[in-house]
Structures are given as C-alpha cells and as structure tokens.
Amino acid sequence: MHALRLLSVGVALAWSGASWAQVDANNEDLVLSYGDKSFVSISTGTKQLLRKSPSTATVITAEDIAAMGATTVDEALESVPGLHVSRSTVYSPNFGIRGILTDSNPHVLMMVNGVPMTSVYQGNRNDTPVSLPTVNVARIEVIRGPGSALYGADAFAGTINIITKTGEELQGPSVGLRAGAFNSVDAWFQYGGKVGALDVAAYLSAGRTSGQRRTVQADAQTGVDSLGFAAAVSLAPGSVNLGHEDVDAQIEVGFEKFRLRAGFTLRDNIGVGAGVAGALDPVGKARTARFTSDLSWTDANFAPDLSLTLQAAYMHMANEITTPLLLFPNGAFFGSFPIGMIGAPNKWERQLRVSVSGDYSGFKDHHVRMGLGSDSMDIYKTTETKNFTLLNGPLPSLLPMYSASGANLYLSPHDRNVNYVYLQDEWSFARDWTLTGGVRHDQYSDFGSTTNPRLALVWEARQNVTAKLMYGTAFRAPSFVELYAAGNPVALGSPNLSPERIRTLEGVVSWQVDPNVETSLSLFRHEISDLIGVAGTTYQNTGKQNGSGAELEATWDPSKNIRISGHYAFQQNIDQVTQQDSGYAPHRHVYSRADWRFASNWMVSGQVNWVAERKRAAGDNRPDVPDYTSVDVSLHADRIKKGWDFSASIRNLFDIDIREPSKLGSGITYDLPMPGRTIWIQGRVFL
C-alpha cells in the first residue's frame, strides 16, 4: 500500500506540474546522437512507444553503447536501472535484477534477435566468463520484471533481447581494430547492403586477451591449510586466470518474406577465474563453441487484419575442458592428492525450436497476439575424466585418472520437450486507457505444466504523463543439474522438483517535464516461492523470498549538444526462511552519464557508477561487501568525412579496488577482485 500511495503522489505531482502543451519528439540532433530510444518491441512482441509499453523497459542503442565506451554486453547492461552485473567464482557474469541474484544466474532470460540463448545444463546463458561483444549490436532491450506470459521459462527477474545490426544499419563494408589493457587485441569485418535481390548483413571478429591479473589473497585450499594437519599447499596469494581467445561470426540474409540468420561463437583457452572449486587454478583451460541459426517467414498481410510469422531455430553448443582443471593443488587434502585433484567434465547440447505467431487487429479497439510452439532440448553427450571419487566418504578419494561412468559421472545425457501456447490482447477500452492481458501455458516433459498470466493498465493521463499498473507471474524451470546431477553427493539432483515461481506488482509514472527533461519512477514488490537450493545433499524446493524497491530515472538535455542521464535504484529482498537479507545484491545503485558533442562528429562522455550496501546472506558472518564508486571516460568520433571513426576509453579512471561478492562456501574469503584502471583505443575504416 505504501508503494501505491507513493505512485499516486507521483501521478499528482506530474499532473499539477505539467504546464506546457506540446512535446518536441522529433529533435533530429538527439535522434542522431542517441538513436531510436522511443520505441520498444520486447514488451508485447510488436513495436510500440516505450512510454506506452505495458512493462518496465529500457532501451540501449548502439549510440549509447558508443558513448559509454562499452565493449561487451555486460558493460552496457550496468546502465540499466535495477540491474547490476556481478560475477561467479569462475567470473561468469551474473545479472542481478531487483535483488534477485544467484550463483548460476538462471533467473534472467537472454535472447539474441528473439531466440533464447539458454543452456539447459544450469539454466543460464553459458558457463564461461566471456561476454558477447557489442560491435555488431544495434540495440539491447530489457524488461525488468516477469515476462513468462510471453516468453516462457526463465523470464523471471527480467528479459534481455540483443538485436544485431542489419544491412541497412551497416551501410557497406568496414574493418576495425581495438587494442588495450591485458594484451587485448580485437579485429573485425562487417558488411551490409544488397547482393542482387538479397539484403545481407555479415560480421566476423577475432580477438585475444591475457585477462586481468588481480590477486586473490585466500582461497578454498587456504581454509584447509589453516587446520594445520599438513604443510600449506594453497596457491594463494595468486592471480586469477582470465585469458581467452575469441571468434564471433554472424550472417543475416533477407529475401522477400524470408529471413535467415546463422551465427558462430567460439571461446578458446578460457581461464577459469578463481577456480571451479574456489581454489586457484593457473593451468585449467576450457573451450565453448556455439552455433545458432534461425529461419523465419513473415507475411504482414497474410489475411485481412492478420500478420503471420513462422520460425524455426537451432542451437548446438559444446563445452569442453581442453586442459584438465586443477580443482585443488598438489598435496591437497592433507597430502592425499600429490599431483592435485584433477577433473575434466565435457558436455554437448542441442536445441530445436519451432513456432508460429500472429497479430490480429480486426476487432475494434483490440490488438490480439497469439502463438504456439514446441521446443526440443537435450544434452546428448557427456564425458568426464578425473583422478578422484566422491562416493567413498566425506572426503574425496584418490584414484588413477579414469573415464567416469555410472554414479561417478557428474551428469548423464537427458532431454526435455516443451509445448506452449499463448494469447495476448491490447484493449484500448477508453480514450487514453489501454488494458493488456495475456496468458501462456507451458507443458514440460520432465516436470509438468505451468500457466502464467499478466495484466497491465496504461493510462495516458496527459500528453506528457503516463501511468502504469502491472501484475504478472513467471516461472524458472529446474535445470538439468538440479534435476539429474550425480557423482557429487554434496549436491545431488532431484527429478521431482517444481519450477520456481514469482508474482510481481509494479507501478510506473513517466513524466516529460518539458521538451528537455524526462523522468520516470518505478515501484515494485515481488514474492518468490519454491526457490531451489541444496537441502541436506539434494536440490529441493525449500526457499521463499520477498522483495520490494524503487527505480528513479531522469534525462536532461540542457542543449542540443549535451545530455545528462542517470538513475537511482533501491531494493530490499528478505529470505522468508531465515528472515534475513537475501544477500550480495546492492541495496542502492546510482548510475549517471554525461555526453557532450563538442564538435559535429566528436563526443566525450563520462559515467559514474556507485554500488552500495551489499549485505551478506544468512550464515555468512564476513563484513558487508565494500561499496565502490567507479568513473569511466570515453571519447568517440563518428564517421569522420564518412571514411573512419575512432574511440578511446579509460575505465575505472581512479584505479579503485572494486570487489564483487564471493558467496558463502565458495572458498574465496576476500571477494572477487575486478580490473583496475584499463585503457583501450579502437579505429574503424569504412571501405
């Protein structure tokens, strides 16, 4: 009720304070500088004005990405209100949205051009610390809050759609080169245009880095050494292991009503951060290769007032350990592992998705979207070589290197089939009022069915004031690890798990104060049930969590060459079992950016990121994670005389010690060190 009262006050203030009559929405200078931020497609599946969309959404354009100097999707997402990018022990990115943050991070659905990138192994995007580059990204659309009524599983805390550049946006061939800290080098080629009757967009990049080398002072083996039963063998203090080599490729071909996309992502010689088991591993290397493709056919006039889209998508992913992981160092476990505890798990996964969707506008004041589809996902091959077993007691037992099978194999092959149907109606039942209602039903082969509705009421109170009230539910499907994990009696799978569930109530007020000032206030409350965690030795649905918070955004254009933007986000999530803070996500987050176009093609930008009040979870008695304030500065020149562009960036300008929280039981005592001051420069030539 407090949140609703605050929302009502916001509407009243906006109504009484708005005295101007016409908003200039066609400022060409701003569109040129910041791209098309006024529209979003992720909220309903069709393009609509962002302020009218029935969700709490954010759009990051290619122009935003260039201004902030973001080279990866992770860096760009830090600018989204209510979203903070943390790290796991192996430095995989964890997207904490509105305080919902876990180790494997399965609560956020990431899509590329509308196709999910989810791996069924842990339910997340992948298991490596390497993010997607931004060179070929046209825009990123983000929903904060549930999206399962439209997108199904894992659109739980939020949904992210990465949209790649089309041939029209690329406008011919170009080549680029970037070099920077940690011996990092990236080169790429892009092409966009017409090849006969075909619309073509192509992208190829290759790069490598040694990775940052910050020091971990104490690890999991340090804790064992401190018992004093044997000589200390920990490799800590020592540096994290974050080098990798990358290849990214994508081609998109359009012909009349057809569109074909194919992509390939390779990450090789990947270091394993602070170690898979929380003990430093300077030798372990991994490789992941992902191939994706999708073919769609769209007819905007399939029948009177009806558009129709058919789509088929395929993904194949291989995760392999190329140099065996040193889980614990030589002499570990009181000398019982003289050459260390070594393991090399591998898996191969494939997915096939087919769907049909349509939009019908033949009913007066209604826009109906409907769809159905079927997904087939399976981990069809797993292997593991190691020199230990966990089946002979509380401590690992040494064995000669062997190929695991049966109860010793970490996971055997499994498959999952999902059939779904959804319906959504946008009803403009009165002037300035729109009610969006939707529902989706999913039938899973391995745990049953789930149905998720949503409702959103949007009121255009005045030409410059919009208010929204939204309710929705979402679910997170159990991962294959949670269902079927074996060979590790500390955390065994449970085939009887139910999906995690969330109910969310949100309110939003957007106010265009004048043509140069825009603000919005979002309030939310969510209740999570059936959270999956380890209870005893198996995964079980034992957790509950309640959260609430607010997100305040503002943009100010004091002149046509200057923009100042930012947000303040607050959240509090309480574990209902312990009645303590859920832990590790920032309670307060402030992000601010100032962009100055000081010449026709030149822009300098500075951004400040304040991350504060990250508390520990119940049972973790360490002091709270230290707050930090980082400053980044970027310079960007856009297509000088249509021939070239240039960018340079300094991140963490003042070289502060940034730490992301290590979780209880990870073995990393003093949290995960993030990079200090880093510098990069890049140039691109348009051929």
Side-chain angles (χ1 to χ4, degrees):
M1 292 302 294
H2 175 72
L4 290 177
R5 285 196 292 270
L6 185 56
L7 183 66
S8 301
V9 170
V11 173
L13 288 173
W15 184 280
S16 62
S19 60
W20 59 283
Q22 181 67 35
V23 176
D24 179 12
N26 299 307
N27 189 321
E28 294 183 1
D29 291 325
L30 293 178
V31 171
L32 207 72
S33 297
Y34 302 106
D36 187 358
K37 295 176 68 72
S38 302
F39 292 88
V40 67
S41 299
I42 193 174
S43 298
T44 61
T46 57
K47 188 175 181 179
Q48 62 185 160
L49 283 170
L50 179 62
R51 64 184 178 86
K52 295 182 180 180
S53 67
S55 64
T56 310
T58 299
V59 175
I60 304 171
T61 65
E63 292 76 14
D64 286 319
I65 291 170
M68 69 179 72
T71 60
T72 66
V73 168
D74 300 344
E75 292 173 348
L77 289 173
E78 188 69 14
S79 67
V80 175
L83 192 161
H84 175 61
V85 183
S86 186
R87 297 283 165 173
S88 69
T89 305
V90 295
Y91 279 70
S92 295
N94 283 357
F95 303 147
I97 298 181
R98 294 178 167 177
I100 301 172
L101 180 66
T102 57
D103 278 335
S104 57
N105 200 213
H107 299 92
V108 178
L109 174 64
M110 177 176 281
M111 304 182 293
V112 176
N113 296 314
V115 179
M117 293 291 104
T118 307
S119 164
V120 292
Y121 177 62
Q122 287 191 311
N124 56 8
R125 299 156 298 283
N126 206 339
D127 310 315
T128 71
V130 186
S131 177
L132 291 172
T134 56
V135 170
N136 201 45
V137 174
R139 57 197 281 121
I140 304 171
E141 298 182 352
V142 182
I143 288 177
R144 309 189 299 278
S148 287
L150 194 58
Y151 297 108
D154 312 324
F156 188 94
T159 305
I160 301 167
N161 189 29
I162 300 166
I163 302 168
T164 56
K165 293 179 179 177
T166 64
E168 183 179 359
E169 291 165 320
L170 292 172
Q171 297 181 3
S174 64
V175 293
L177 179 68
R178 180 192 305 121
F182 319 126
N183 301 312
S184 302
V185 178
D186 296 275
W188 64 88
F189 168 81
Q190 289 174 295
Y191 172 80
K194 284 276 191 179
V195 179
L198 304 178
D199 295 307
V200 177
Y203 163 66
L204 174 65
S205 74
R208 61 169 176 78
T209 181
S210 299
Q212 61 121 328
R213 306 291 293 175
R214 294 285 308 280
T215 298
V216 170
Q217 293 294 332
D219 65 359
Q221 184 60 43
T222 305
V224 178
D225 292 344
S226 67
L227 299 176
F229 295 122
V233 296
S234 172
L235 300 178
S239 66
V240 293
N241 181 9
L242 288 171
H244 52 85
E245 299 169 2
D246 312 329
V247 175
D248 291 89
Q250 182 170 335
I251 187 166
E252 178 178 325
V253 179
F255 175 70
E256 296 181 349
K257 299 175 183 179
F258 291 91
R259 185 166 299 274
L260 173 66
R261 296 187 183 98
F264 176 71
T265 301
L266 174 67
R267 303 290 182 257
D268 205 357
N269 289 318
I270 308 168
V272 291
V276 172
L280 290 178
D281 178 2
V283 297
K285 298 290 183 183
R287 175 174 58 223
T288 179
R290 185 199 302 257
F291 170 77
T292 59
S293 63
D294 66 275
L295 175 65
S296 62
W297 175 87
T298 301
D299 189 340
N301 299 292
F302 179 75
D305 304 313
L306 177 65
S307 68
L308 190 68
T309 297
L310 307 177
Q311 185 179 57
Y314 177 77
M315 180 175 75
H316 182 274
M317 184 164 58
N319 293 92
E320 301 173 79
I321 302 301
T322 53
T323 301
L325 305 175
L326 187 65
L327 302 175
F328 285 91
N330 299 356
F333 294 99
F334 318 118
S336 59
F337 283 83
I339 63 169
M341 185 173 168
I342 299 170
N346 306 294
K347 67 176 179 67
W348 291 263
E349 179 178 348
R350 59 195 170 198
Q351 300 182 11
L352 176 64
R353 302 172 184 268
V354 293
S355 65
V356 55
S357 60
D359 289 272
Y360 183 70
S361 56
F363 301 128
K364 184 181 178 181
D365 301 325
H366 289 266
H367 182 101
V368 179
R369 182 172 178 83
M370 51 209 149
L372 55 88
S374 182
D375 302 338
S376 175
M377 299 168 279
D378 72 318
I379 293 177
Y380 66 92
K381 180 181 177 182
T382 59
T383 65
E384 184 180 19
T385 57
K386 55 187 178 182
N387 69 342
F388 63 92
T389 180
L390 297 171
L391 304 181
N392 294 337
L395 293 177
S397 299
L398 177 67
L399 294 174
M401 288 294 292
Y402 70 103
S403 295
S405 60
N408 273 308
L409 181 63
Y410 75 102
L411 183 75
S412 58
H414 288 276
D415 59 42
R416 166 181 287 170
N417 296 300
V418 186
N419 298 311
Y420 62 88
V421 60
Y422 64 86
L423 179 67
Q424 174 184 269
D425 180 26
E426 298 172 72
W427 177 25
S428 300
F429 63 90
R431 184 179 178 182
D432 304 324
W433 290 85
T434 302
L435 178 65
T436 299
V439 64
R440 172 165 162 155
H441 179 77
D442 291 78
Q443 180 69 46
Y444 278 72
S445 61
D446 48 358
F447 66 78
S449 63
T450 177
T451 301
N452 292 274
R454 74 159 173 164
L455 285 171
L457 181 63
V458 179
W459 176 34
E460 296 178 72
R462 297 192 65 175
Q463 185 179 18
N464 59 325
V465 178
T466 303
K468 309 176 187 179
L469 185 63
M470 299 167 289
Y471 171 81
T473 71
F475 73 103
R476 199 272 288 182
S479 70
F480 280 15
V481 166
E482 292 163 335
L483 289 168
Y484 310 120
N488 181 4
V490 176
L492 293 171
S494 175
N496 298 318
L497 291 175
S498 299
E500 297 180 340
R501 304 179 188 276
I502 186 172
R503 298 185 299 167
T504 302
L505 179 65
E506 303 175 78
V508 180
V509 176
S510 300
W511 177 21
Q512 186 93 38
V513 182
D514 63 37
N516 301 315
V517 179
E518 183 176 0
T519 66
S520 72
L521 173 65
S522 306
L523 305 172
F524 67 88
R525 179 172 178 79
H526 56 238
E527 298 178 355
I528 305 173
S529 59
D530 292 326
L531 278 170
I532 299 172
V534 177
T537 60
T538 61
Y539 287 102
Q540 296 183 25
N541 294 105
T542 59
K544 294 182 178 181
Q545 180 176 316
N546 291 348
S548 60
E551 297 142 0
L552 177 64
E553 305 173 65
T555 301
W556 176 37
D557 301 313
S559 75
K560 68 177 183 179
N561 297 321
I562 297 176
R563 166 165 288 187
I564 299 171
S565 59
H567 69 255
Y568 167 79
F570 167 81
Q571 66 80 22
Q572 184 175 34
N573 276 263
I574 302 298
D575 185 319
Q576 296 302 295
V577 176
T578 64
Q579 290 300 310
Q580 296 187 37
D581 196 273
S582 297
Y584 308 116
H587 281 224
R588 302 180 190 274
H589 186 189
V590 173
Y591 171 88
S592 180
R593 194 179 92 225
D595 306 323
W596 175 32
R597 187 171 289 278
F598 60 90
S600 59
N601 298 98
W602 290 82
M603 176 183 286
V604 62
S605 302
Q607 61 183 17
V608 178
N609 194 38
W610 179 58
V611 177
E613 296 184 26
R614 292 174 291 175
K615 300 183 180 299
R616 306 289 184 178
D620 189 341
N621 297 319
R622 293 174 294 170
D624 290 347
V625 187
D627 302 347
Y628 72 84
T629 303
S630 64
V631 177
D632 308 325
V633 179
S634 299
L635 176 67
H636 179 67
D638 183 31
R639 291 207 177 200
I640 304 300
K641 296 182 180 179
K642 302 292 185 181
W644 56 276
D645 67 16
F646 170 82
S647 299
S649 184
I650 305 175
R651 305 193 73 82
N652 193 3
L653 176 65
F654 299 110
D655 197 27
I656 64 169
D657 183 10
I658 298 174
R659 301 274 167 156
E660 290 301 331
S662 58
K663 303 297 179 65
L664 179 66
S666 70
I668 307 299
T669 305
Y670 303 109
D671 297 311
L672 301 167
M674 303 307 292
R677 182 188 300 113
T678 61
I679 302 173
W680 61 258
I681 59 173
Q682 78 175 36
R684 181 167 47 173
V685 177
F686 298 89
L687 305 175

mmCIF file of all heavy atoms in Angstrom, residues 483-511:
data_model
loop_
_atom_site.group_PDB
_atom_site.id
_atom_site.type_symbol
_atom_site.label_atom_id
_atom_site.label_comp_id
_atom_site.label_asym_id
_atom_site.label_seq_id
_atom_site.Cartn_x
_atom_site.Cartn_y
_atom_site.Cartn_z
ATOM 1 N N LEU A 483 18.017 -31.255 -11.551
ATOM 2 C CA LEU A 483 17.173 -32.444 -11.680
ATOM 3 C C LEU A 483 17.967 -33.743 -11.640
ATOM 4 O O LEU A 483 17.514 -34.737 -11.054
ATOM 5 C CB LEU A 483 16.384 -32.379 -12.984
ATOM 6 C CG LEU A 483 15.261 -31.347 -13.077
ATOM 7 C CD1 LEU A 483 14.784 -31.218 -14.521
ATOM 8 C CD2 LEU A 483 14.092 -31.725 -12.166
ATOM 9 N N TYR A 484 19.159 -33.749 -12.261
ATOM 10 C CA TYR A 484 19.798 -35.034 -12.549
ATOM 11 C C TYR A 484 21.262 -35.145 -12.119
ATOM 12 O O TYR A 484 21.908 -36.157 -12.419
ATOM 13 C CB TYR A 484 19.737 -35.313 -14.056
ATOM 14 C CG TYR A 484 18.356 -35.144 -14.649
ATOM 15 C CD1 TYR A 484 18.121 -34.218 -15.663
ATOM 16 C CD2 TYR A 484 17.272 -35.898 -14.197
ATOM 17 C CE1 TYR A 484 16.865 -34.055 -16.219
ATOM 18 C CE2 TYR A 484 16.006 -35.739 -14.742
ATOM 19 C CZ TYR A 484 15.807 -34.815 -15.751
ATOM 20 O OH TYR A 484 14.553 -34.651 -16.291
ATOM 21 N N ALA A 485 21.826 -34.153 -11.431
ATOM 22 C CA ALA A 485 23.246 -34.201 -11.067
ATOM 23 C C ALA A 485 23.562 -35.464 -10.277
ATOM 24 O O ALA A 485 22.817 -35.873 -9.389
ATOM 25 C CB ALA A 485 23.630 -32.971 -10.265
ATOM 26 N N ALA A 486 24.694 -36.070 -10.616
ATOM 27 C CA ALA A 486 25.160 -37.279 -9.925
ATOM 28 C C ALA A 486 26.668 -37.148 -9.703
ATOM 29 O O ALA A 486 27.283 -36.154 -10.069
ATOM 30 C CB ALA A 486 24.836 -38.519 -10.753
ATOM 31 N N GLY A 487 27.261 -38.152 -9.078
ATOM 32 C CA GLY A 487 28.710 -38.153 -8.889
ATOM 33 C C GLY A 487 29.203 -37.135 -7.891
ATOM 34 O O GLY A 487 30.397 -36.947 -7.721
ATOM 35 N N ASN A 488 28.316 -36.436 -7.230
ATOM 36 C CA ASN A 488 28.691 -35.432 -6.240
ATOM 37 C C ASN A 488 27.661 -35.479 -5.113
ATOM 38 O O ASN A 488 26.649 -34.786 -5.162
ATOM 39 C CB ASN A 488 28.727 -34.042 -6.876
ATOM 40 C CG ASN A 488 29.133 -32.974 -5.864
ATOM 41 O OD1 ASN A 488 29.454 -33.276 -4.715
ATOM 42 N ND2 ASN A 488 29.108 -31.724 -6.294
ATOM 43 N N PRO A 489 27.893 -36.288 -4.085
ATOM 44 C CA PRO A 489 26.888 -36.464 -3.036
ATOM 45 C C PRO A 489 26.632 -35.206 -2.214
ATOM 46 O O PRO A 489 25.711 -35.171 -1.397
ATOM 47 C CB PRO A 489 27.485 -37.579 -2.162
ATOM 48 C CG PRO A 489 28.950 -37.533 -2.434
ATOM 49 C CD PRO A 489 29.093 -37.102 -3.852
ATOM 50 N N VAL A 490 27.436 -34.155 -2.414
ATOM 51 C CA VAL A 490 27.180 -32.889 -1.730
ATOM 52 C C VAL A 490 25.971 -32.189 -2.329
ATOM 53 O O VAL A 490 25.244 -31.464 -1.654
ATOM 54 C CB VAL A 490 28.427 -31.987 -1.815
ATOM 55 C CG1 VAL A 490 28.157 -30.620 -1.200
ATOM 56 C CG2 VAL A 490 29.600 -32.656 -1.111
ATOM 57 N N ALA A 491 25.728 -32.397 -3.631
ATOM 58 C CA ALA A 491 24.613 -31.728 -4.313
ATOM 59 C C ALA A 491 24.081 -32.639 -5.406
ATOM 60 O O ALA A 491 24.511 -32.573 -6.549
ATOM 61 C CB ALA A 491 25.057 -30.389 -4.892
ATOM 62 N N LEU A 492 23.141 -33.497 -5.045
ATOM 63 C CA LEU A 492 22.553 -34.437 -5.989
ATOM 64 C C LEU A 492 21.257 -33.880 -6.567
ATOM 65 O O LEU A 492 20.518 -33.153 -5.899
ATOM 66 C CB LEU A 492 22.265 -35.770 -5.289
ATOM 67 C CG LEU A 492 23.480 -36.568 -4.829
ATOM 68 C CD1 LEU A 492 23.038 -37.737 -3.956
ATOM 69 C CD2 LEU A 492 24.287 -37.071 -6.013
ATOM 70 N N GLY A 493 20.981 -34.251 -7.817
ATOM 71 C CA GLY A 493 19.757 -33.814 -8.450
ATOM 72 C C GLY A 493 18.531 -34.498 -7.868
ATOM 73 O O GLY A 493 18.617 -35.565 -7.261
ATOM 74 N N SER A 494 17.377 -33.844 -8.063
ATOM 75 C CA SER A 494 16.106 -34.396 -7.602
ATOM 76 C C SER A 494 15.098 -34.307 -8.740
ATOM 77 O O SER A 494 14.666 -33.206 -9.100
ATOM 78 C CB SER A 494 15.594 -33.632 -6.380
ATOM 79 O OG SER A 494 14.320 -34.102 -6.003
ATOM 80 N N PRO A 495 14.697 -35.425 -9.346
ATOM 81 C CA PRO A 495 13.794 -35.395 -10.507
ATOM 82 C C PRO A 495 12.393 -34.886 -10.197
ATOM 83 O O PRO A 495 11.614 -34.642 -11.124
ATOM 84 C CB PRO A 495 13.749 -36.868 -10.953
ATOM 85 C CG PRO A 495 14.925 -37.512 -10.317
ATOM 86 C CD PRO A 495 15.156 -36.787 -9.040
ATOM 87 N N ASN A 496 12.060 -34.701 -8.929
ATOM 88 C CA ASN A 496 10.701 -34.298 -8.557
ATOM 89 C C ASN A 496 10.565 -32.807 -8.285
ATOM 90 O O ASN A 496 9.573 -32.368 -7.694
ATOM 91 C CB ASN A 496 10.255 -35.088 -7.323
ATOM 92 C CG ASN A 496 10.213 -36.584 -7.576
ATOM 93 O OD1 ASN A 496 9.755 -37.022 -8.628
ATOM 94 N ND2 ASN A 496 10.715 -37.364 -6.631
ATOM 95 N N LEU A 497 11.526 -32.013 -8.713
ATOM 96 C CA LEU A 497 11.480 -30.576 -8.462
ATOM 97 C C LEU A 497 10.337 -29.907 -9.226
ATOM 98 O O LEU A 497 9.979 -30.308 -10.330
ATOM 99 C CB LEU A 497 12.798 -29.921 -8.869
ATOM 100 C CG LEU A 497 14.032 -30.248 -8.032
ATOM 101 C CD1 LEU A 497 15.264 -29.606 -8.650
ATOM 102 C CD2 LEU A 497 13.852 -29.779 -6.593
ATOM 103 N N SER A 498 9.800 -28.855 -8.630
ATOM 104 C CA SER A 498 8.838 -27.983 -9.292
ATOM 105 C C SER A 498 9.549 -26.716 -9.745
ATOM 106 O O SER A 498 10.614 -26.365 -9.222
ATOM 107 C CB SER A 498 7.705 -27.615 -8.324
ATOM 108 O OG SER A 498 7.016 -28.757 -7.887
ATOM 109 N N PRO A 499 8.982 -25.987 -10.683
ATOM 110 C CA PRO A 499 9.609 -24.728 -11.100
ATOM 111 C C PRO A 499 9.529 -23.675 -10.007
ATOM 112 O O PRO A 499 8.589 -23.675 -9.195
ATOM 113 C CB PRO A 499 8.800 -24.320 -12.330
ATOM 114 C CG PRO A 499 7.493 -25.004 -12.181
ATOM 115 C CD PRO A 499 7.769 -26.295 -11.477
ATOM 116 N N GLU A 500 10.505 -22.795 -9.965
ATOM 117 C CA GLU A 500 10.428 -21.625 -9.100
ATOM 118 C C GLU A 500 9.367 -20.664 -9.647
ATOM 119 O O GLU A 500 9.172 -20.575 -10.860
ATOM 120 C CB GLU A 500 11.780 -20.924 -9.019
ATOM 121 C CG GLU A 500 12.862 -21.783 -8.403
ATOM 122 C CD GLU A 500 14.193 -21.077 -8.319
ATOM 123 O OE1 GLU A 500 14.399 -20.097 -9.061
ATOM 124 O OE2 GLU A 500 15.040 -21.511 -7.534
ATOM 125 N N ARG A 501 8.711 -19.921 -8.762
ATOM 126 C CA ARG A 501 7.614 -19.054 -9.182
ATOM 127 C C ARG A 501 7.766 -17.672 -8.554
ATOM 128 O O ARG A 501 8.283 -17.530 -7.443
ATOM 129 C CB ARG A 501 6.264 -19.666 -8.789
ATOM 130 C CG ARG A 501 6.053 -21.070 -9.346
ATOM 131 C CD ARG A 501 4.713 -21.676 -8.938
ATOM 132 N NE ARG A 501 4.621 -23.069 -9.317
ATOM 133 C CZ ARG A 501 4.262 -23.513 -10.521
ATOM 134 N NH1 ARG A 501 3.966 -22.620 -11.464
ATOM 135 N NH2 ARG A 501 4.198 -24.796 -10.793
ATOM 136 N N ILE A 502 7.277 -16.664 -9.282
ATOM 137 C CA ILE A 502 7.323 -15.291 -8.788
ATOM 138 C C ILE A 502 6.026 -14.585 -9.157
ATOM 139 O O ILE A 502 5.457 -14.824 -10.231
ATOM 140 C CB ILE A 502 8.543 -14.527 -9.358
ATOM 141 C CG1 ILE A 502 8.677 -13.134 -8.715
ATOM 142 C CG2 ILE A 502 8.459 -14.404 -10.873
ATOM 143 C CD1 ILE A 502 9.965 -12.412 -9.082
ATOM 144 N N ARG A 503 5.546 -13.747 -8.252
ATOM 145 C CA ARG A 503 4.412 -12.857 -8.506
ATOM 146 C C ARG A 503 4.908 -11.430 -8.279
ATOM 147 O O ARG A 503 5.530 -11.143 -7.249
ATOM 148 C CB ARG A 503 3.240 -13.158 -7.578
ATOM 149 C CG ARG A 503 2.660 -14.558 -7.748
ATOM 150 C CD ARG A 503 1.426 -14.750 -6.882
ATOM 151 N NE ARG A 503 1.751 -14.581 -5.470
ATOM 152 C CZ ARG A 503 0.831 -14.449 -4.508
ATOM 153 N NH1 ARG A 503 -0.457 -14.445 -4.819
ATOM 154 N NH2 ARG A 503 1.194 -14.327 -3.249
ATOM 155 N N THR A 504 4.612 -10.540 -9.216
ATOM 156 C CA THR A 504 5.137 -9.176 -9.144
ATOM 157 C C THR A 504 4.031 -8.157 -9.383
ATOM 158 O O THR A 504 3.235 -8.303 -10.313
ATOM 159 C CB THR A 504 6.253 -8.964 -10.183
ATOM 160 O OG1 THR A 504 7.305 -9.911 -9.962
ATOM 161 C CG2 THR A 504 6.829 -7.563 -10.090
ATOM 162 N N LEU A 505 3.999 -7.129 -8.548
ATOM 163 C CA LEU A 505 3.124 -5.976 -8.731
ATOM 164 C C LEU A 505 4.009 -4.761 -8.952
ATOM 165 O O LEU A 505 4.943 -4.517 -8.171
ATOM 166 C CB LEU A 505 2.236 -5.771 -7.501
ATOM 167 C CG LEU A 505 1.276 -4.575 -7.550
ATOM 168 C CD1 LEU A 505 0.232 -4.764 -8.655
ATOM 169 C CD2 LEU A 505 0.595 -4.375 -6.194
ATOM 170 N N GLU A 506 3.745 -4.005 -10.020
ATOM 171 C CA GLU A 506 4.576 -2.858 -10.382
ATOM 172 C C GLU A 506 3.710 -1.639 -10.675
ATOM 173 O O GLU A 506 2.588 -1.760 -11.163
ATOM 174 C CB GLU A 506 5.408 -3.146 -11.636
ATOM 175 C CG GLU A 506 6.316 -4.341 -11.555
ATOM 176 C CD GLU A 506 6.999 -4.608 -12.883
ATOM 177 O OE1 GLU A 506 7.970 -3.890 -13.204
ATOM 178 O OE2 GLU A 506 6.545 -5.504 -13.616
ATOM 179 N N GLY A 507 4.261 -0.477 -10.393
ATOM 180 C CA GLY A 507 3.646 0.780 -10.777
ATOM 181 C C GLY A 507 4.691 1.704 -11.355
ATOM 182 O O GLY A 507 5.828 1.750 -10.868
ATOM 183 N N VAL A 508 4.341 2.427 -12.417
ATOM 184 C CA VAL A 508 5.279 3.314 -13.095
ATOM 185 C C VAL A 508 4.575 4.625 -13.430
ATOM 186 O O VAL A 508 3.426 4.626 -13.885
ATOM 187 C CB VAL A 508 5.817 2.683 -14.398
ATOM 188 C CG1 VAL A 508 6.805 3.635 -15.085
ATOM 189 C CG2 VAL A 508 6.479 1.344 -14.127
ATOM 190 N N VAL A 509 5.277 5.740 -13.206
ATOM 191 C CA VAL A 509 4.837 7.047 -13.683
ATOM 192 C C VAL A 509 5.963 7.639 -14.518
ATOM 193 O O VAL A 509 7.104 7.738 -14.054
ATOM 194 C CB VAL A 509 4.509 8.007 -12.526
ATOM 195 C CG1 VAL A 509 4.158 9.395 -13.090
ATOM 196 C CG2 VAL A 509 3.363 7.480 -11.710
ATOM 197 N N SER A 510 5.655 8.017 -15.764
ATOM 198 C CA SER A 510 6.610 8.697 -16.644
ATOM 199 C C SER A 510 6.118 10.117 -16.875
ATOM 200 O O SER A 510 4.937 10.325 -17.189
ATOM 201 C CB SER A 510 6.724 7.962 -17.984
ATOM 202 O OG SER A 510 7.167 6.641 -17.796
ATOM 203 N N TRP A 511 7.015 11.076 -16.750
ATOM 204 C CA TRP A 511 6.645 12.482 -16.840
ATOM 205 C C TRP A 511 7.659 13.222 -17.706
ATOM 206 O O TRP A 511 8.833 13.282 -17.361
ATOM 207 C CB TRP A 511 6.589 13.086 -15.439
ATOM 208 C CG TRP A 511 6.284 14.567 -15.399
ATOM 209 C CD1 TRP A 511 5.696 15.323 -16.352
ATOM 210 C CD2 TRP A 511 6.567 15.443 -14.302
ATOM 211 N NE1 TRP A 511 5.586 16.623 -15.943
ATOM 212 C CE2 TRP A 511 6.110 16.729 -14.679
ATOM 213 C CE3 TRP A 511 7.143 15.272 -13.047
ATOM 214 C CZ2 TRP A 511 6.234 17.831 -13.841
ATOM 215 C CZ3 TRP A 511 7.257 16.372 -12.217
ATOM 216 C CH2 TRP A 511 6.805 17.635 -12.608
#
